[in-house]
Short mmCIF file of all heavy atoms in Angstrom, two decimals:
data_model
loop_
_atom_site.label_atom_id
_atom_site.label_comp_id
_atom_site.label_asym_id
_atom_site.label_seq_id
_atom_site.Cartn_x
_atom_site.Cartn_y
_atom_site.Cartn_z
N TYR J 144 -3.49 31.36 -28.62
CA TYR J 144 -2.79 32.53 -28.11
C TYR J 144 -3.61 33.80 -28.33
O TYR J 144 -3.72 34.66 -27.44
CB TYR J 144 -1.42 32.64 -28.78
CG TYR J 144 -0.62 33.84 -28.28
CD1 TYR J 144 -0.58 34.14 -26.92
CD2 TYR J 144 0.06 34.66 -29.16
CE1 TYR J 144 0.13 35.22 -26.46
CE2 TYR J 144 0.78 35.75 -28.70
CZ TYR J 144 0.81 36.04 -27.34
OH TYR J 144 1.50 37.11 -26.89
N LEU J 145 -4.23 33.87 -29.51
CA LEU J 145 -5.08 35.03 -29.81
C LEU J 145 -6.22 35.12 -28.78
O LEU J 145 -6.52 36.18 -28.24
CB LEU J 145 -5.63 34.88 -31.23
CG LEU J 145 -6.24 36.13 -31.85
CD1 LEU J 145 -5.18 37.22 -32.00
CD2 LEU J 145 -6.82 35.83 -33.23
N ALA J 146 -6.80 33.95 -28.52
CA ALA J 146 -7.91 33.91 -27.56
C ALA J 146 -7.42 34.35 -26.18
O ALA J 146 -8.10 35.09 -25.47
CB ALA J 146 -8.47 32.50 -27.48
N TYR J 147 -6.24 33.91 -25.84
CA TYR J 147 -5.67 34.30 -24.54
C TYR J 147 -5.52 35.82 -24.46
O TYR J 147 -5.93 36.44 -23.47
CB TYR J 147 -4.32 33.62 -24.34
CG TYR J 147 -3.60 34.11 -23.11
CD1 TYR J 147 -3.93 33.63 -21.85
CD2 TYR J 147 -2.61 35.09 -23.21
CE1 TYR J 147 -3.29 34.10 -20.73
CE2 TYR J 147 -1.96 35.56 -22.08
CZ TYR J 147 -2.30 35.07 -20.84
OH TYR J 147 -1.68 35.54 -19.73
N GLU J 148 -4.97 36.38 -25.52
CA GLU J 148 -4.75 37.84 -25.53
C GLU J 148 -6.08 38.58 -25.43
O GLU J 148 -6.20 39.56 -24.69
CB GLU J 148 -4.01 38.27 -26.80
CG GLU J 148 -2.54 37.89 -26.82
CD GLU J 148 -1.70 38.66 -25.82
OE1 GLU J 148 -2.25 39.30 -24.93
OE2 GLU J 148 -0.46 38.60 -25.93
N ILE J 149 -7.06 38.11 -26.20
CA ILE J 149 -8.33 38.84 -26.25
C ILE J 149 -9.14 38.63 -24.98
O ILE J 149 -9.63 39.57 -24.38
CB ILE J 149 -9.14 38.43 -27.51
CG1 ILE J 149 -8.39 38.92 -28.76
CG2 ILE J 149 -10.55 38.99 -27.47
CD1 ILE J 149 -8.95 38.41 -30.05
N LYS J 150 -9.22 37.39 -24.53
CA LYS J 150 -10.14 37.08 -23.43
C LYS J 150 -9.50 37.26 -22.05
O LYS J 150 -10.03 37.95 -21.19
CB LYS J 150 -10.61 35.62 -23.56
CG LYS J 150 -12.13 35.54 -23.76
CD LYS J 150 -12.55 34.11 -23.83
CE LYS J 150 -12.86 33.56 -22.45
NZ LYS J 150 -13.05 32.12 -22.46
N ILE J 151 -8.39 36.61 -21.89
CA ILE J 151 -7.85 36.49 -20.54
C ILE J 151 -7.04 37.71 -20.12
O ILE J 151 -7.30 38.33 -19.09
CB ILE J 151 -6.98 35.23 -20.41
CG1 ILE J 151 -7.75 34.01 -20.87
CG2 ILE J 151 -6.48 35.07 -18.99
CD1 ILE J 151 -9.00 33.72 -20.10
N SER J 152 -6.08 38.06 -20.96
CA SER J 152 -5.19 39.13 -20.50
C SER J 152 -5.94 40.46 -20.43
O SER J 152 -5.53 41.36 -19.72
CB SER J 152 -3.97 39.23 -21.40
OG SER J 152 -4.34 39.76 -22.64
N LYS J 153 -7.06 40.55 -21.12
CA LYS J 153 -7.86 41.78 -21.05
C LYS J 153 -8.40 41.96 -19.63
O LYS J 153 -8.46 43.06 -19.10
CB LYS J 153 -9.02 41.68 -22.04
CG LYS J 153 -9.76 42.98 -22.20
CD LYS J 153 -10.87 42.83 -23.18
CE LYS J 153 -11.71 44.08 -23.18
NZ LYS J 153 -12.91 43.87 -23.97
N GLN J 154 -8.78 40.84 -19.04
CA GLN J 154 -9.32 40.93 -17.67
C GLN J 154 -8.20 41.06 -16.64
O GLN J 154 -8.46 41.07 -15.44
CB GLN J 154 -10.12 39.66 -17.35
CG GLN J 154 -11.29 39.46 -18.28
CD GLN J 154 -11.72 37.98 -18.32
OE1 GLN J 154 -11.13 37.13 -17.68
NE2 GLN J 154 -12.76 37.71 -19.09
N GLY J 155 -6.98 41.10 -17.14
CA GLY J 155 -5.85 41.23 -16.22
C GLY J 155 -5.57 39.95 -15.46
O GLY J 155 -4.82 39.93 -14.50
N LYS J 156 -6.20 38.86 -15.87
CA LYS J 156 -6.00 37.59 -15.15
C LYS J 156 -4.96 36.76 -15.88
O LYS J 156 -4.72 36.94 -17.06
CB LYS J 156 -7.31 36.81 -15.14
CG LYS J 156 -8.25 37.24 -14.05
CD LYS J 156 -9.29 36.17 -13.85
CE LYS J 156 -10.68 36.74 -13.98
NZ LYS J 156 -11.66 35.83 -14.45
N ARG J 157 -4.39 35.80 -15.17
CA ARG J 157 -3.50 34.84 -15.82
C ARG J 157 -4.17 33.49 -15.74
O ARG J 157 -4.92 33.24 -14.82
CB ARG J 157 -2.16 34.82 -15.08
CG ARG J 157 -1.33 36.05 -15.36
CD ARG J 157 -0.55 36.49 -14.16
NE ARG J 157 0.21 35.40 -13.60
CZ ARG J 157 1.48 35.12 -13.89
NH1 ARG J 157 2.13 35.87 -14.73
NH2 ARG J 157 2.11 34.13 -13.34
N ASN J 158 -3.95 32.69 -16.74
CA ASN J 158 -4.69 31.45 -16.75
C ASN J 158 -3.75 30.29 -17.03
O ASN J 158 -3.12 30.22 -18.08
CB ASN J 158 -5.77 31.55 -17.83
CG ASN J 158 -6.75 30.43 -17.72
OD1 ASN J 158 -6.35 29.28 -17.66
ND2 ASN J 158 -8.02 30.75 -17.67
N ASP J 159 -3.66 29.36 -16.09
CA ASP J 159 -2.74 28.23 -16.21
C ASP J 159 -3.07 27.37 -17.42
O ASP J 159 -2.19 26.88 -18.12
CB ASP J 159 -2.82 27.34 -14.97
CG ASP J 159 -2.35 28.09 -13.74
OD1 ASP J 159 -1.89 29.24 -13.90
OD2 ASP J 159 -2.46 27.54 -12.64
N PHE J 160 -4.37 27.24 -17.67
CA PHE J 160 -4.83 26.34 -18.72
C PHE J 160 -4.20 26.66 -20.07
O PHE J 160 -3.74 25.79 -20.79
CB PHE J 160 -6.36 26.44 -18.78
CG PHE J 160 -6.96 25.76 -19.95
CD1 PHE J 160 -7.03 24.36 -20.00
CD2 PHE J 160 -7.46 26.47 -21.02
CE1 PHE J 160 -7.59 23.72 -21.09
CE2 PHE J 160 -8.01 25.84 -22.12
CZ PHE J 160 -8.08 24.46 -22.15
N TYR J 161 -4.17 27.93 -20.43
CA TYR J 161 -3.64 28.34 -21.73
C TYR J 161 -2.16 27.99 -21.84
O TYR J 161 -1.70 27.52 -22.87
CB TYR J 161 -3.84 29.84 -21.95
CG TYR J 161 -5.26 30.16 -22.35
CD1 TYR J 161 -6.26 30.26 -21.40
CD2 TYR J 161 -5.59 30.33 -23.68
CE1 TYR J 161 -7.55 30.53 -21.75
CE2 TYR J 161 -6.91 30.60 -24.05
CZ TYR J 161 -7.89 30.70 -23.08
OH TYR J 161 -9.15 30.96 -23.43
N GLY J 162 -1.44 28.24 -20.78
CA GLY J 162 -0.01 27.96 -20.78
C GLY J 162 0.24 26.48 -21.03
O GLY J 162 1.09 26.10 -21.85
N GLN J 163 -0.54 25.65 -20.33
CA GLN J 163 -0.33 24.21 -20.47
C GLN J 163 -0.67 23.74 -21.88
O GLN J 163 0.06 22.96 -22.49
CB GLN J 163 -1.20 23.47 -19.45
CG GLN J 163 -0.62 23.59 -18.06
CD GLN J 163 -1.59 23.19 -16.97
OE1 GLN J 163 -2.67 22.69 -17.25
NE2 GLN J 163 -1.22 23.44 -15.74
N LEU J 164 -1.76 24.26 -22.41
CA LEU J 164 -2.20 23.85 -23.74
C LEU J 164 -1.21 24.29 -24.82
O LEU J 164 -0.86 23.52 -25.72
CB LEU J 164 -3.57 24.46 -24.03
CG LEU J 164 -4.43 23.55 -24.89
CD1 LEU J 164 -4.83 22.32 -24.11
CD2 LEU J 164 -5.64 24.28 -25.39
N LEU J 165 -0.73 25.53 -24.69
CA LEU J 165 0.24 26.02 -25.67
C LEU J 165 1.51 25.18 -25.62
O LEU J 165 2.08 24.82 -26.65
CB LEU J 165 0.58 27.49 -25.40
CG LEU J 165 -0.50 28.50 -25.76
CD1 LEU J 165 -0.06 29.90 -25.40
CD2 LEU J 165 -0.80 28.46 -27.25
N ASN J 166 1.92 24.83 -24.43
CA ASN J 166 3.11 23.99 -24.26
C ASN J 166 2.92 22.63 -24.92
O ASN J 166 3.81 22.11 -25.58
CB ASN J 166 3.41 23.80 -22.78
CG ASN J 166 4.47 24.77 -22.30
OD1 ASN J 166 5.01 25.52 -23.10
ND2 ASN J 166 4.76 24.76 -21.02
N ILE J 167 1.74 22.05 -24.72
CA ILE J 167 1.48 20.72 -25.28
C ILE J 167 1.48 20.78 -26.81
O ILE J 167 2.10 19.96 -27.49
CB ILE J 167 0.15 20.15 -24.76
CG1 ILE J 167 0.32 19.78 -23.28
CG2 ILE J 167 -0.27 18.92 -25.56
CD1 ILE J 167 -0.87 19.11 -22.66
N LEU J 168 0.80 21.81 -27.34
CA LEU J 168 0.74 21.94 -28.80
C LEU J 168 2.16 22.09 -29.37
O LEU J 168 2.51 21.47 -30.38
CB LEU J 168 -0.12 23.14 -29.20
CG LEU J 168 -1.62 22.96 -28.98
CD1 LEU J 168 -2.36 24.27 -29.27
CD2 LEU J 168 -2.17 21.86 -29.87
N PHE J 169 2.93 22.90 -28.69
CA PHE J 169 4.30 23.11 -29.14
C PHE J 169 5.09 21.80 -29.05
O PHE J 169 5.86 21.45 -29.95
CB PHE J 169 4.96 24.19 -28.29
CG PHE J 169 6.30 24.62 -28.78
CD1 PHE J 169 6.43 25.38 -29.94
CD2 PHE J 169 7.46 24.24 -28.11
CE1 PHE J 169 7.67 25.76 -30.40
CE2 PHE J 169 8.71 24.62 -28.57
CZ PHE J 169 8.82 25.39 -29.72
N ALA J 170 4.86 21.05 -27.96
CA ALA J 170 5.57 19.77 -27.76
C ALA J 170 5.22 18.79 -28.87
O ALA J 170 6.08 18.07 -29.37
CB ALA J 170 5.20 19.19 -26.41
N VAL J 171 3.94 18.79 -29.26
CA VAL J 171 3.51 17.87 -30.32
C VAL J 171 4.24 18.21 -31.62
O VAL J 171 4.74 17.32 -32.33
CB VAL J 171 1.98 17.93 -30.51
CG1 VAL J 171 1.55 17.15 -31.74
CG2 VAL J 171 1.29 17.38 -29.27
N ILE J 172 4.34 19.52 -31.92
CA ILE J 172 5.06 19.92 -33.13
C ILE J 172 6.52 19.47 -33.03
O ILE J 172 7.09 18.90 -33.96
CB ILE J 172 4.99 21.46 -33.33
CG1 ILE J 172 3.54 21.90 -33.56
CG2 ILE J 172 5.84 21.89 -34.53
CD1 ILE J 172 3.36 23.38 -33.77
#
Side-chain angles (χ1 to χ4, degrees):
Y144 181 43
L145 195 63
Y147 172 80
E148 287 291 14
I149 292 171
K150 242 182 89 190
I151 307 300
S152 71
K153 189 180 172 189
Q154 299 158 359
K156 277 197 235 151
R157 286 144 52 94
N158 192 309
D159 295 355
F160 170 74
Y161 282 81
Q163 285 165 8
L164 213 69
L165 286 178
N166 262 357
I167 289 185
L168 288 174
F169 188 72
V171 171
I172 296 180

